[in-house]
Amino acid sequence: MSGTAMGVDVDRVSKRFAHRVKGEVYAARDVTLRVQPGEFLTLLGPSGCGKTTTLRMIAGFERPDAGRICFGNDDVTGVPANRRNIGFVFQNYALFPHLSIFENVAYGLRVRGEPEDAITRAVSDVLALVGLGAHEQQFPAQLSGGEQQRVALARAIVIRPRVLLFDEPLSNLDAKLRVQMRNEIRDLQRRLSITTIYVTHDQEEAMAVSDRIAVMNQGRVVQEGTAEDLYHRPATQFVAQFVGRVNLIAGVVQTINGRSATIAALGRAIVARPSPCDLIAGDSVQIALRPEAIAIAQTSAPGSLQATVLSSVFLGDKVEYLVRCGDETLQVARYNAGPTTPLAAGTAVGLSFAEDAVVVLRTSRESAT
Amino acid sequence: MSAAGVAPTAVVAGRPSRDIGITLTVAALWLLLALFVVYPLVMLFARMLGMLGGRGSVDFGALLALLTDRNQLRAFWNSLLLAFLVGTVGTLAGFLFAFTATRCRLPGAAVTAIDASVLLPLVSPPFTTAIAMIFSFGPRGLITYGVFGLKGYTVYGLGATLFSEALTYFPIAYLTLRPILTAIDSNIEGMAQSLGASRWRVFRTVTLPLTVPGIANAFLLLFAASLADFATPLILAGNSFPVLPTQAYLQITGLFDLRGGAALSFALLVPALIVFLLQRYWVSRRFYVTITGKGAGQTPFDSVSPGGRIVLIASVISITVVVAYFYALLLYASLVVALGANHTPTLAHYRVIFTDGWNAIRDTLIIAGFSMPLGGLYGILLGYLVTRHRFPGRRTMEAVSMMNYALPGTIVGIAYLIAFNDPPLVLTGTALIIIACYVFRYGPTGIRATVALLQQIDPSLEEASQGLGARSGTTFRRVTLPLIMPAFFAGLGIVFIRSMTAISATIFLVSISWTLITVKILEDITELSLGPAAAFSVLVVVIVFVVVAGISRVLREFRAPGAPGVSLFGG
Ligand SMILES: Nc1ncnc2c1ncn2[C@@H]1O[C@H](COP(=O)(O)OP(=O)(O)OP(=O)(O)O)[C@@H](O)[C@H]1O
Ligand SMILES: [Mg+2]
């Protein structure tokens, strides 16, 4: 399709809704996103955080109360959805129940007044592309969920949109199909290199498909970056908890020297690289440690933390432990290289982790939901 | 499970019943249906063919002469024309209201106002607008004579009848179309728009096609309502525009020709039956499922341009104003000496209806009071049996139960008149004949509500009760009944409203000992005592409003958490 993909700039966009009790609530607040041409950006966040609202403003279904939205150099803030040239895929697919699959996909082309033979060709091509060539004359109600999903996708891309928008497109599918479809969507997007904005609340899905992820909470974008950035260098406690699982441990800054800090936590001094740079000695902080970053061993090597196993769960690829270490209860995951026997409750163990696995976060009242 | 234990419960639609209680109830219902639905219609048919009434032989010649009489033929075609026009105009108005209510982002109070204004025609006797038409456009009409000073102007004819019937029946179209428009997932319309379609194109290619089955349904309902309406044409059609139901009525009351009346009403049966079958078995299969699971948009699609919105709202307001004007006029007319001549305030008309008219009021309330619970009970019993139990003739039972409901009232009334005038069962002159007429004619609303409700309730609930050892009577009482209470009250409400407002069937069944308000209103109109007629109409509207409000309240109370809802008028 068109080789010239187009970037999307969302510039300090806000949207308020009337609320029965609170009077007014911000569904989106000062949202700024910079999507590169051909990039796949995902909006990730818990339910009610404003993902759909943001996406609907980009699509033109909702008018922002403040801010600007540009496609490339076009300011589209006041342009209605039907003149933005976008492809939208809804969570419930929103197929036209009274039209055949062929006519569903052809709809956007007919609106554009394309000649009949061009329509026939384009629709057949795109249906073949999504693997539904044989279903042209059927109706939406006769298709399975996954097939309906593909029709929705075909209908969105056949018009060669400037931007492709997805709102939780996979949440009505079962787990296996979800994995398969997300790979298909990713491949298709790469092949067509259409700038794409994708909404989900499933962090694994977000990591699997995106070039970049923007995490939202309570109407705001709280952090933006690649999956690795978010996972290994979360900027806030909320992001650390929302993306993956994490142990948050209270601590106090002891000393700062250059790019490393010493934190008093778990009853000892832990050396880490602080991510907020303006910490001073005496600040109370939290340190974040992923369960799989903690090594657990029965023989305690010198320098390891003493702990006791509280419980263990065998999950096939790994064993998940809850251990007691000082005043804290920690989650620890150990992946199984071969057949192993989980350590029994009450076993004394030693814990260790690498310096760069520790993330220091400022203590905040913001909580994960 | 042991061999003697509970039967496997794989059957979803129902189970064969071996319960004695069920068998007895089914037998009793068949007996009642045979007596009050099948028997009268058979007698009507027989009378029409001339086998009864003394001649003893089939006299096709006379029958043919009557049915091919130029006047009667004209009445037949007039009826169809009127029904077609009422269907078209009423559906248009209903769609206009439903679309405005669902798509114009109106504030809640405005939607409530719309609902209230469509409720008025629904709960008043069918010819209330006709009376208001005479007050406005009659020989001494407020508008024709009072405002424009026209003398000798006559409204009577197709135009006035059409106007009055469309205004009376368009709420049915509104109630049919509104849920359908509401149910369309706004994402579907949003999708069309994002594919580049303008608002108008979205309306034309998505919204409208998805509503077509509802529109067809509404049209057929209005067509049937108009075809059956005899009171409005009686008052407004005049001599120049005869229609079949009025002709049949005049044939019987004017010429005392029961057989001719039977034949004329039978001519109505053919189009009425066609319309009913179309509506029931063809249109109802064509509805689209437009809500596809989780994620339906919470924001309604912005489908109307600011200019279009103004036009829509203005049209709705003007129709609402007309309705409001008619009812205000009715109220006013009931409170002055003689509308158009002497506007001195008086309560005399109310004094008249509570003295001379007291019998009618008392009789109506007694009859409505008996019909209401019986009709409600009949509705849920039959509805429950045909959806949850399998017994021979189950489908037939449902179809037969719908007959009195589907046929124009004139036919039913004449059939009862013929059937219950002579032995073996003489009911003429009793209240029972009127009550039976109401129960079997309007009870089916309760049947349909029950069937619709039960289809949404998983049979496994009842199977669980049976699995715990409960007999079907216990299961019905303890499990099913609480779940279908809403349908019971919906059926109850409709039977009451109709008992207060209907006339087309029961006008043939009233007697010296038992009469009805609606019949009294008609007498008053023909005697030109319009004041009491207006006062009676106001009284009926008030009573019905109060009772409907009460029942709606109970309906809300009874709605178990999580149970599907039923509205008093919807569907
Ligand atoms: N039309 C509306 N009217 C009032 N409030 C709204 C409207 N649309 C959204 N909101 C509110 O704005 C907030 C954000 O909603 P939004 O649909 O964008 O959340 P979301 O992140 O997509 O959530 P989910 O994951 O559940 O889909 C919510 O609190 C919601 O209740
Ligand atoms: Mg959402």
Side-chain angles (χ1 to χ4, degrees):
Chain A
M1 315 236 159
S2 56
T4 54
M6 188 173 277
V8 176
D9 274 349
V10 177
D11 191 19
R12 275 173 295 132
V13 160
S14 295
K15 178 78 187 175
R16 290 185 304 265
F17 284 113
H19 190 278
R20 250 175 244 259
V21 187
K22 297 181 209 156
E24 261 187 351
V25 289
Y26 277 94
R29 193 158 200 174
D30 286 332
V31 172
T32 298
L33 298 167
R34 205 127 289 160
V35 193
Q36 303 303 319
E39 192 181 24
F40 196 123
L41 178 92
T42 295
L43 296 179
L44 174 68
S47 183
C49 71
K51 309 177 297 282
T52 298
T53 305
T54 306
L55 198 71
R56 287 174 66 87
M57 288 192 287
I58 298 172
F61 295 135
E62 220 68 79
R63 247 195 116 115
D65 296 319
R68 237 160 48 103
I69 296 170
C70 297
F71 288 2
N73 295 322
D74 284 357
D75 184 339
V76 296
T77 315
V79 177
N82 55 351
R83 284 194 264 121
R84 288 195 184 189
N85 199 7
I86 48 158
F88 203 109
V89 179
F90 284 98
Q91 178 175 358
N92 59 356
Y93 323 136
L95 299 182
F96 305 128
H98 60 301
L99 299 180
S100 66
I101 301 311
F102 181 92
E103 285 303 325
N104 259 282
V105 177
Y107 190 92
L109 300 172
R110 293 208 190 284
V111 169
R112 283 164 176 71
E114 305 225 346
E116 197 59 39
D117 53 337
I119 293 180
T120 313
R121 210 164 340 105
V123 173
S124 309
D125 286 353
V126 78
L127 281 178
L129 191 66
V130 298
L132 281 178
H135 296 271
E136 280 190 6
Q137 292 318 316
Q138 283 181 294
F139 281 79
Q142 300 166 317
L143 299 189
S144 72
E147 288 164 345
Q148 292 187 23
Q149 172 65 70
R150 290 189 187 137
V151 176
L153 190 60
R155 184 176 60 174
I157 59 177
V158 76
I159 58 169
R160 299 156 182 253
R162 294 196 284 185
V163 182
L164 199 48
L165 305 172
F166 293 88
D167 190 359
E168 309 208 15
L170 306 181
S171 54
N172 284 348
L173 303 179
D174 64 57
K176 269 229 170 78
L177 203 52
R178 215 150 47 209
V179 173
Q180 184 192 338
M181 279 306 296
R182 78 184 186 206
N183 294 335
E184 284 182 26
I185 289 177
R186 182 56 173 149
D187 288 349
L188 207 61
Q189 191 270 345
R190 286 248 168 83
R191 200 141 26 118
L192 306 173
S193 73
I194 307 176
T195 311
T196 299
I197 304 175
Y198 186 101
V199 161
T200 181
H201 60 252
D202 179 343
Q203 37 123 353
E204 188 187 306
E205 190 177 307
M207 295 200 218
V209 294
S210 326
D211 293 321
R212 233 151 33 88
I213 300 171
V215 180
M216 289 187 75
N217 189 27
Q218 298 180 348
R220 297 175 189 271
V221 174
V222 289
Q223 190 177 358
E224 225 183 305
T226 61
E228 293 86 349
D229 284 340
L230 297 175
Y231 194 76
H232 293 308
R233 289 172 289 284
T236 67
Q237 192 181 317
F238 170 80
V239 176
Q241 284 180 311
F242 191 74
V243 182
R245 299 195 315 153
V246 74
N247 294 297
L248 287 174
I249 304 151
V252 176
V253 179
Q254 282 183 326
T255 57
I256 304 266
N257 52 40
R259 304 193 56 222
S260 95
T262 315
I263 315 284
L266 293 170
R268 66 163 58 200
I270 291 169
V271 179
R273 255 184 234 162
S275 58
C277 303
D278 52 350
L279 288 173
I280 54 168
D283 278 354
S284 55
V285 291
Q286 302 232 281
I287 63 172
L289 254 180
R290 300 288 178 193
E292 71 277 9
I294 303 175
I296 185 168
Q298 218 170 338
T299 52
S300 62
S304 65
L305 289 160
Q306 297 307 308
T308 318
V309 174
L310 294 176
S311 66
S312 66
V313 181
F314 178 76
L315 290 173
D317 58 341
K318 62 181 172 188
V319 181
E320 284 186 357
Y321 292 102
L322 277 184
V323 300
R324 190 82 193 158
C325 178
D327 297 336
E328 307 272 351
T329 302
L330 303 178
Q331 312 170 46
V332 177
R334 187 164 80 177
Y335 282 83
N336 300 323
T340 49
T341 324
L343 301 169
T347 314
V349 290
L351 306 178
S352 58
F353 43 84
E355 190 176 310
D356 62 0
V358 181
V359 179
V360 182
L361 299 169
R362 202 188 298 281
T363 304
S364 72
R365 270 168 296 279
E366 177 194 22
S367 63
T369 33
Chain B
M1 230 174 270
S2 72
V6 187
T9 47
V11 183
V12 177
R15 59 197 81 81
S17 353
R18 264 161 269 129
D19 235 301
I20 184 75
I22 299 288
T23 314
L24 283 179
T25 318
V26 168
L29 281 174
W30 265 125
L31 188 70
L32 288 170
L33 286 172
L35 205 57
F36 289 107
V37 178
V38 180
Y39 173 63
L41 288 175
V42 170
M43 293 302 278
L44 174 76
F45 194 64
R47 173 60 68 92
M48 183 188 80
L49 293 179
M51 294 188 294
L52 301 162
R55 293 196 203 181
S57 70
V58 180
D59 182 356
F60 282 112
L63 190 65
L64 215 61
L66 181 75
L67 289 180
T68 52
D69 179 87
R70 268 199 39 215
N71 257 332
Q72 311 298 12
L73 269 181
R74 228 177 90 211
F76 180 73
W77 291 116
N78 281 349
S79 282
L80 292 186
L81 175 68
L82 179 66
F84 176 79
L85 291 176
V86 169
T88 310
V89 176
T91 304
L92 269 175
F95 187 86
L96 173 75
F97 269 64
F99 191 78
T100 308
T102 54
R103 297 301 143 100
C104 281
R105 296 175 186 235
L106 295 178
V111 177
T112 313
I114 291 182
D115 284 345
S117 73
V118 303
L119 197 61
L120 269 176
L122 275 181
V123 301
S124 36
F127 40 70
T128 14
T129 49
I131 306 176
M133 287 282 288
I134 295 182
F135 281 137
S136 303
F137 306 106
R140 294 192 67 85
L142 228 46
I143 293 180
T144 40
Y145 184 75
V147 178
F148 295 107
L150 297 174
K151 287 205 184 94
Y153 171 83
T154 53
V155 273
Y156 306 106
L158 171 62
T161 318
L162 167 61
F163 184 78
S164 175
E165 285 192 7
L167 214 57
T168 306
Y169 296 125
F170 90 88
I172 300 176
Y174 169 74
L175 290 177
T176 314
L177 292 171
R178 195 178 141 179
I180 293 170
L181 280 168
T182 311
I184 294 177
D185 176 2
S186 66
N187 283 348
I188 290 184
E189 292 167 302
M191 191 65 226
Q193 195 197 19
S194 81
L195 290 169
S198 63
R199 287 195 180 100
W200 170 238
R201 187 164 182 139
V202 174
F203 176 77
R204 209 161 36 80
T205 59
V206 178
T207 318
L208 199 57
L210 288 177
T211 326
V212 159
I215 291 176
N217 205 17
F219 174 83
L220 292 175
L221 287 173
L222 293 197
F223 189 96
S226 167
L227 201 62
D229 186 353
F230 103 107
T232 312
L234 191 65
I235 299 171
L236 288 177
N239 297 329
S240 57
F241 191 77
V243 293
L244 266 192
T246 7
Q247 292 301 103
Y249 171 71
L250 294 175
Q251 199 81 18
I252 292 174
T253 56
L255 305 173
F256 303 103
D257 175 8
L258 209 53
R259 182 166 168 250
L264 289 179
S265 73
F266 224 84
L268 264 184
L269 188 140
V270 178
L273 221 52
I274 292 176
V275 163
F276 177 73
L277 293 177
L278 273 180
Q279 192 243 330
R280 192 80 208 288
Y281 296 102
W282 188 70
V283 174
S284 62
R285 300 264 156 84
R286 271 162 184 74
F287 283 97
Y288 299 102
V289 177
T290 47
I291 305 180
T292 41
K294 183 188 173 236
Q298 66 275 70
T299 326
F301 174 64
D302 173 26
S303 36
V304 202
S305 66
R309 186 165 181 265
I310 292 173
V311 173
L312 285 175
I313 294 177
S315 327
V316 165
I317 289 179
S318 28
I319 296 179
T320 310
V321 164
V322 173
V323 173
Y325 158 78
F326 273 12
Y327 281 83
L329 190 65
L330 205 67
L331 180 63
Y332 183 64
S334 74
L335 291 168
V336 298
V337 174
L339 193 82
N342 181 352
H343 287 197
T344 320
T346 174
L347 284 177
H349 303 314
Y350 287 95
R351 208 169 305 128
V352 170
I353 66 169
F354 281 110
T355 50
D356 294 355
W358 175 243
N359 281 347
I361 297 175
R362 193 198 50 205
D363 292 354
T364 306
L365 286 175
I366 291 174
I367 287 170
F370 275 101
S371 311
M372 186 162 80
L374 291 177
L377 194 66
Y378 166 69
I380 52 166
L381 264 185
L382 207 146
Y384 166 74
L385 287 177
V386 297
T387 25
R388 284 296 200 256
H389 289 271
R390 282 191 310 170
F391 52 87
R394 168 171 81 106
R395 300 238 132 257
T396 322
M397 178 183 268
E398 197 191 356
V400 170
S401 74
M402 286 294 148
M403 275 168 84
N404 278 10
Y405 170 77
L407 295 176
T410 320
I411 300 182
V412 179
I414 296 175
Y416 271 47
L417 180 63
I418 291 171
F420 300 120
N421 205 21
D422 302 309
L425 202 58
V426 184
L427 294 176
T428 317
T430 65
L432 188 61
I433 190 171
I434 305 180
I435 294 173
C437 177
Y438 283 146
V439 168
F440 290 94
R441 188 157 154 68
Y442 300 116
T445 325
I447 299 181
R448 294 181 84 166
T450 309
V451 170
L453 204 56
L454 280 176
Q455 279 168 351
Q456 299 174 58
I457 298 173
D458 199 323
S460 62
L461 277 180
E462 290 148 330
E463 286 164 0
S465 165
Q466 287 209 317
L468 293 169
R471 297 184 61 80
S472 52
T474 316
T475 303
F476 180 71
R477 249 183 315 109
R478 301 283 299 276
V479 179
T480 319
L481 196 60
L483 288 171
I484 57 177
M485 262 338 224
F488 175 67
F489 282 106
L492 213 75
I494 294 294
V495 174
F496 182 80
I497 295 171
R498 295 298 165 229
S499 307
M500 292 299 295
T501 59
I503 185 166
S504 55
T506 33
I507 190 157
F508 299 101
L509 307 177
V510 294
S511 54
I512 301 175
S513 5
W514 292 94
T515 187
L516 295 170
I517 297 180
T518 44
V519 176
K520 201 81 174 108
I521 297 177
L522 194 63
E523 279 171 27
D524 283 344
I525 295 174
T526 35
E527 288 161 16
L528 285 179
S529 44
L530 295 179
F536 268 130
S537 304
V538 171
L539 180 74
V540 169
V541 172
V542 169
I543 294 178
V544 171
F545 239 106
V546 169
V547 173
V548 166
I551 291 179
S552 303
R553 210 193 168 90
V554 177
L555 255 177
R556 270 200 301 278
E557 296 274 308
F558 256 95
R559 191 173 158 188
V566 158
S567 104
L568 203 46
F569 296 105

